[in-house]
Amino acid sequence: MNKLTIALIVFFAAACNNGGPKTTTIDEEEITLPYYEEATFTPRWFSIKEDVPVDFHQIPEFNLFNQYGSEVTAKDLDSKISIVNFFFTTCPGICPKMMANMYMIQDELQEKDKALFLSYSVTPEMDGIEELKVYAEKNEIVNKSWFLLTGDREQIYDLGRNQFFVEEDMGIAKGPDDFLHTENILLIDGDRHIRGIYNGLNKTAIQQLLTDFKTLEAELTDK
C-alpha cells in the first residue's frame, strides 16, 4: 500500500475566543508546529529547523528578577520550552482564571525538566520581589521553574507588545503608560521562537498547549 500522508489543519478563529491562530500539521509520524514572527500570528512552516531563517524573530535579551530575587534573562529560555503569560497580583478579573489554568499546566508538566514558566507582572511598581514571593506562597506556586517576574516596566511592556505580541490591538501604537492586560498564553521553543498562542481562559486551548508541548519536547530530543 502506498504511504498515506494526512494533513490536519486546525484553525482557532480568534485569540480571545478560542486560543489563537493555530495550525498543526501531521505528516505520517512527524508532527510539526508553525512559527510566528509578528502580531497577526500568521503561521509559517519549515520542514526542518535548519530552514528557519537566521534573522527569524526570537525573544530578545531582557533582564528581570523572579520571586526568589534571582536575575532571569533570555538565556534562561535557551533549550527550554517556555510557557509565558502576563498578569498582576491584585487583578480581580481575568488573571485568577488564567493563573488557575497555569496551575493546571504546572501540575501536568511538573515532571518535565525542560518546562519553564514565565509570568510577567504588568504592575512591577506594585509587584516587587517580596510581593511576588508572597503571591507564589499564597497560590501554591511550588514549581521551582515557575518564575514570577518583575523589574523595569518599559522593558516588560516592550516584551509583551513587541516581542511576544500578546495584545490584540494590532496596529494601534501603545507605550508603557498604556496598560497591558491579556489572557493570552504563549509557547516558546528552545530557540526562543514563538510556536503557539492560546486563550488562557479556555480549557480546550490549554489542552492544545499541552499537546503542543509534547511536540516541542520531541524537537528538543531530536536536536
Side-chain angles (χ1 to χ4, degrees):
M1 180 179 293
N2 293 330
K3 281 189 173 182
L4 178 63
T5 299
I6 303 173
L8 173 63
I9 302 179
V10 179
F11 289 102
F12 289 97
C16 60
N17 293 325
N18 52 12
K22 189 83 191 81
T23 305
T24 301
T25 301
I26 301 177
D27 184 6
E28 295 277 320
E29 297 179 356
E30 180 183 3
I31 303 176
T32 60
L33 296 178
Y35 290 73
Y36 302 101
E37 62 178 340
E38 36 75 37
T40 67
F41 279 90
T42 301
R44 291 187 62 184
W45 293 270
F46 303 99
S47 57
I48 56 175
K49 284 188 176 183
E50 287 70 21
D51 289 341
V52 180
V54 293
D55 61 347
F56 197 85
H57 179 72
Q58 293 176 287
I59 304 306
E61 289 298 329
F62 62 84
N63 183 281
L64 298 168
F65 293 90
N66 64 22
Q67 70 270 32
Y68 308 113
S70 300
E71 183 181 57
V72 178
T73 72
K75 291 182 175 62
D76 289 297
L77 282 68
D78 293 341
S79 299
K80 296 285 188 177
I81 304 169
S82 303
I83 298 97
V84 175
N85 75 321
F86 289 76
F87 83 115
F88 61 107
T89 60
T90 57
C91 174
I94 64 174
C95 295
K97 297 175 184 178
M98 175 177 55
M99 294 300 272
N101 281 334
M102 288 285 285
Y103 305 144
M104 184 180 74
I105 299 169
Q106 171 189 239
D107 291 342
E108 291 289 333
L109 302 180
Q110 60 182 332
E111 302 300 326
K112 303 291 187 179
D113 59 359
K114 292 297 184 181
L116 176 66
F117 297 80
L118 301 174
S119 295
Y120 294 81
S121 172
V122 297
T123 58
E125 64 278 3
M126 294 189 294
D127 293 337
I129 293 170
E130 188 59 35
E131 287 77 15
L132 293 180
K133 182 179 179 181
V134 170
Y135 181 91
E137 293 172 350
K138 179 180 178 181
N139 291 280
E140 299 182 353
I141 296 176
V142 297
N143 190 323
K144 294 299 183 182
S145 293
W146 187 348
F147 299 151
L148 309 181
L149 298 175
T150 187
D152 178 65
R153 179 188 174 100
E154 186 171 353
Q155 185 178 179
I156 291 171
Y157 275 53
D158 176 69
L159 283 167
R161 290 194 169 116
N162 303 319
Q163 308 301 334
F164 289 112
F165 312 118
V166 292
E167 275 191 328
E168 298 141 16
D169 299 323
M170 295 176 295
I172 300 176
K174 290 186 176 182
D177 293 332
D178 297 306
F179 193 60
L180 171 63
H181 203 202
T182 176
E183 70 270 30
N184 289 327
I185 298 175
L186 293 102
L187 192 63
I188 312 298
D189 70 16
D191 296 313
R192 289 189 251 157
H193 292 131
I194 301 173
R195 304 297 295 277
I197 181 170
Y198 314 84
N199 186 327
L201 308 181
N202 185 294
K203 297 291 187 183
T204 300
I206 298 303
Q207 290 302 316
Q208 184 64 51
L209 183 155
L210 292 169
T211 297
D212 292 346
F213 180 95
K214 294 178 183 178
T215 300
L216 294 187
E217 190 176 32
E219 285 188 5
L220 281 177
T221 301
D222 294 339
K223 191 172 181 180

